[in-house]
Amino acid sequence: MQVTRSRIAGVLVMESEPVLDERGWFVRTFDADVAREHGVRAEDFVQDSVSRSHRGVVRGLHVRTGRGEAKLVRCSRGALLDVVVDLRPGSPTYGEWEGFELTEESQRSVYIPAGCAHGFQSLREPSDTSYRIDRPHDPAESLAIAHDDPDLAVAWPLPVTCLSAGDRAARPLSEVRHLLGPALPAR
């Protein structure tokens, strides 16, 4: 498994080459020892979830208030543009975003540290997204930032076909920044 660092501190891209044969393919999507070598505490992951999205759907930009939430994200079916926004005050990339193409063919994963917002757009019909998070989900700590916040200027590759009611009501970062809580360190 190869791990590369993003330009956003603490964001890691984890890749393994799928092994192909007449049955299909096999790939290791997570290795706790490799994760630990790069500062990710594998034992902290407490929940796994999967979402299915139609082509053009955007989910996010979501962040968790308080201590934040680290997550490991992978596209198990279809293709996504996965977006990470650094919201850690003091980070050299604060307020910047980076996108990663995640596909069923690559099975690439992105580790997103606490204090970063996350969202994605489905590029194929359908796309399944697997999430592994380090804290039990608490809806009271969920915060959505507008996917079309002009200050962030995320370049979604397709027209947005659908948003949840919560994502439609999301406000720009400038209006919700005060809700994020104490600064989380960039690793």
Side-chain angles (χ1 to χ4, degrees), residues 5-12 84-88 90-94 96 98 111-116 184-187:
R5 296 190 178 277
S6 159
R7 66 179 182 76
I8 296 176
V11 175
L12 305 172
V84 178
V85 181
D86 189 349
L87 298 179
R88 299 164 296 173
S91 171
T93 54
Y94 175 80
E96 296 180 22
E98 188 167 2
Y111 173 77
I112 303 163
C116 291
L184 295 165
R187 289 199 304 173

Side-chain angles (χ1 to χ4, degrees), residues 13-24:
V13 178
M14 300 178 180
E15 297 183 74
S16 292
E17 188 69 32
V19 177
L20 305 169
D21 66 19
E22 63 277 357
R23 299 170 294 171

Side-chain angles (χ1 to χ4, degrees), residues 4 139 183:
T4 55

Side-chain angles (χ1 to χ4, degrees), residues 1 28 30-38 40-43:
M1 178 169 278
R28 179 178 303 143
F30 183 74
D31 186 309
D33 290 334
V34 172
R36 274 189 217 93
E37 287 174 21
H38 294 276
V40 176
R41 292 175 36 97
E43 57 273 14

Side-chain angles (χ1 to χ4, degrees), residues 144-156:
I145 297 165
H147 78 284
D148 57 355
D149 181 332
D151 291 334
L152 296 176
V154 174
W156 302 106

